[in-house]
Amino acid sequence: MPDSPAGPPAPPIALSELLAREELGLRRIAGPDHAELLWVHTSEMADPYPYLLGGELLLSAGVQLTDADTYVARLVQAGAAALGFGVAPVHDTVPAALVEACDRHGLPLLEVPPETRFTAIAQAVWRLMAEARHRELRRVTRAQQALATAAARPDPVPAVLRQLAVQLEGRVALLTADGGVLHAAGGRPAPDVQTALARLARVVAPTAPTAPSGSTGPAPDRKPSPSSATDTRGGTHLFAYALGGGQGLALALATPRRDFGDHTVAGIAVVLLSLLTAPHQGADAAGRSAALVRLLLGAAPEDVAPLLGDGDSWTVVHARRADGTPAGALNAGALGAALGSALSDVDRETVRVLLPGRHEAVPPQPGWTLGVSGPARVAALPDADTQAARALGHAEATRAPLTTHRPGTGGLAALIPPDRAEAHARTLLAPLTEPLAETLRCWLSLHGSWDRTAVALKVHRNTVRQRIARCAALLDADLDDMDVRTELWFALRDHGPARA
């Protein structure tokens, strides 16, 4: 099963766990005694192969069973994990030919007694999967807390590696691109395992190419490297992950097994180690740290602006997972690293990243929907935060991977003095509350689309209709009139209650 951004997926269920449910009365009568179940499927088709994904416990009463050997061979070819055969009403006993075929092809065969419903078996499997997922989530949470505590120690990098080795019960090492070991923890692996880990490190963090001898030009470009790589040596699972920060470092793991939550735990360690091994930024970083301390102690943004470089621009990015799944701290850190910033935060399903400097072209990120503000100075960051939030809503409403805020300066608007424009906007929009004004602004920006506005504001389309009708009544205006829409848009675009 695929990994979930919010945490580890549900691990497969051991066949023995299902057989241990005495209330089901299941009995294995053929095939191996071990299998891993991912889901349950019921079918009475003569050949269910086209409808199987692999890993199923297939339940059947044998309504169209004619050729047992071909039937079982097709199930094995499709990747089915086991076959549950219901006794009665079609067959009084499990056909002997089916028992022989399952033994021959190595497919576990379960006898389902007449009093056990197929739905009861499916419910038992889902319950076992939920319990296993909760156990794995608790394990990952404990590992995350332990790694975060280790990162706060005076020797953070060795401490994180030691804790990771404990959590994964294996060997972990921080390697350079040429395979050199900077830090390591856990038992020393066999020489062939060490060699394989060094090779994986070169895959994810290759050394920079050099220019040919005698050449005065730049070094040749290299193809992008994968962020992770895997291998096996005997019963040992090997993994390598590239660290961010441009240092050419890799985290290498050698573990005796690979549980479903291990990838998430390793990902947490990668984010921490990327931050811990990133090069220091000198006086700029010290100034930003001092600014953060002063803000925490109650200073106003304008008071700390000189420490951050008041002339510098900042860009705010809001992001949500494109598949709608919640974003966690690990996702926030990974997205920030991909955008080149360690300044990230997550609030429910939305990740916010603060990028220092002007960013005219923030690149789209696979699996994310982004809203990007315009450049802003420190004192204007709240406005930039609003811009990014609105841009994200617009991107989701229009199903675009990224939307960037575009300031409404220039053109005809530049012909009107700002103070007069703001005074007119305040007078025109005075009857509207802030939620109504924001709904009207969003609705106008999306060309009066009820559905898109509902998506952007995370409300029901009927709520949008009610709010727009209320706006029309309070303003005593015909919102279908283009002149009215144009005037309201000008007032809301840059001079409304919540300025963009």
Side-chain angles (χ1 to χ4, degrees):
M1 296 179 69
D3 284 349
S4 164
I13 301 304
L15 178 62
S16 58
E17 292 187 60
L18 185 63
L19 292 173
R21 294 290 179 114
E22 296 181 357
E23 71 276 10
L24 298 176
L26 303 178
R27 185 169 65 95
R28 184 184 63 83
I29 58 176
D33 59 0
H34 62 276
E36 292 187 336
L37 314 177
L38 291 176
W39 33 60
V40 178
H41 182 66
T42 300
S43 175
E44 296 299 342
M45 300 183 67
D47 181 16
Y49 174 92
Y51 304 95
L52 300 182
L53 299 174
E56 295 92 349
L57 167 62
L58 179 67
L59 300 177
S60 175
V63 175
Q64 299 191 56
L65 180 64
T66 55
D67 185 344
D69 190 76
T70 300
Y71 180 78
V72 173
R74 291 285 284 172
L75 295 185
V76 172
Q77 185 180 0
L83 172 63
F85 194 87
V87 176
V90 181
H91 297 271
D92 293 332
T93 60
V94 180
L98 185 62
V99 175
E100 295 172 0
C102 286
D103 273 330
R104 184 163 49 253
H105 291 283
L107 181 69
L109 175 61
L110 312 183
E111 180 186 70
V112 182
E115 63 273 12
T116 299
R117 298 176 181 269
F118 284 177
T119 53
I121 299 174
Q123 289 175 349
V125 171
W126 304 145
R127 192 175 299 112
L128 288 170
M129 292 181 72
E131 293 171 355
R133 177 171 172 79
H134 289 159
R135 287 195 302 269
E136 200 70 356
L137 284 172
R138 287 194 295 269
R139 183 177 76 89
V140 169
T141 299
R142 289 193 297 268
Q144 181 177 7
Q145 294 170 344
L147 290 170
T149 300
R153 290 177 56 88
D155 54 343
V157 172
V160 168
L161 292 175
R162 287 194 297 269
Q163 188 57 239
L164 184 61
V166 171
Q167 297 296 330
L168 301 185
E169 300 180 3
R171 167 79 170 185
V172 300
L174 186 61
L175 305 181
T176 61
D178 58 4
V181 180
L182 295 180
H183 301 282
R188 182 175 294 277
D192 62 325
V193 171
Q194 289 182 305
T195 301
L197 286 176
R199 181 183 62 80
L200 288 182
R202 289 192 292 272
V203 171
V204 300
T207 55
T210 56
S213 177
S215 172
T216 59
D221 294 335
R222 69 172 184 230
K223 295 181 179 179
S225 302
S227 59
S228 63
T230 64
D231 197 0
T232 56
R233 282 292 182 274
T236 303
H237 300 270
L238 310 180
F239 307 88
Y241 300 87
L243 299 190
Q247 302 303 292
L249 302 180
L251 174 65
L253 311 173
T255 60
R257 63 179 185 277
R258 185 62 166 175
D259 293 332
F260 271 68
D262 290 348
H263 177 69
T264 304
V265 175
I268 296 169
V270 167
V271 172
L272 289 173
L273 291 170
S274 296
L275 295 174
L276 293 171
T277 58
H280 294 292
Q281 300 177 19
D284 289 343
R288 291 170 186 169
S289 297
L292 176 60
V293 171
R294 295 190 187 184
L295 283 173
L296 291 174
L297 294 177
E302 55 270 20
D303 294 334
V304 303
L307 292 172
L308 296 170
D310 196 25
D312 294 342
S313 294
W314 296 77
T315 301
V316 180
V317 177
H318 281 214
R320 294 193 188 100
R321 297 289 302 182
D323 58 8
T325 56
L330 174 60
N331 300 120
L335 177 62
L339 295 175
S341 175
L343 305 176
S344 63
D345 182 33
V346 60
D347 180 15
R348 297 180 182 177
E349 74 275 13
T350 303
V351 172
R352 299 189 297 178
V353 181
L354 186 59
L355 306 179
R358 299 180 66 92
H359 292 266
E360 301 296 341
V362 172
Q365 299 297 315
W368 292 92
T369 302
L370 305 182
V372 183
S373 77
R377 293 191 175 186
V378 174
L381 283 178
D383 288 342
D385 190 55
T386 300
Q387 293 172 8
R390 289 175 173 176
L392 175 59
H394 191 281
E396 291 183 320
T398 57
R399 298 183 179 179
L402 181 148
T403 295
T404 300
H405 170 81
R406 300 299 179 191
T409 57
L412 294 176
L415 301 178
I416 304 176
D419 56 342
R420 294 182 60 186
E422 290 182 8
H424 175 71
R426 284 196 300 270
T427 301
L428 178 63
L429 303 173
L432 304 184
T433 62
E434 186 170 337
L436 289 177
E438 178 62 16
T439 301
L440 180 59
R441 186 208 61 79
C442 185
W443 182 71
L444 290 173
S445 75
L446 293 168
H447 310 290
S449 171
W450 309 108
D451 292 330
R452 288 185 172 185
T453 304
V455 171
L457 296 178
K458 303 294 183 184
V459 298
H460 195 276
R461 67 194 307 271
N462 289 342
T463 301
V464 176
R465 287 182 177 273
Q466 292 168 2
R467 291 181 181 178
I468 296 301
R470 182 63 176 160
C471 289
L474 291 172
L475 296 171
D476 191 20
D478 180 7
L479 297 184
D480 291 329
D481 188 315
M482 182 53 67
D483 289 336
V484 173
R485 288 194 182 194
T486 301
E487 183 177 8
L488 288 171
W489 176 246
F490 172 75
L492 289 160
R493 183 67 175 89
D494 287 305
H495 309 290
R499 293 183 57 181

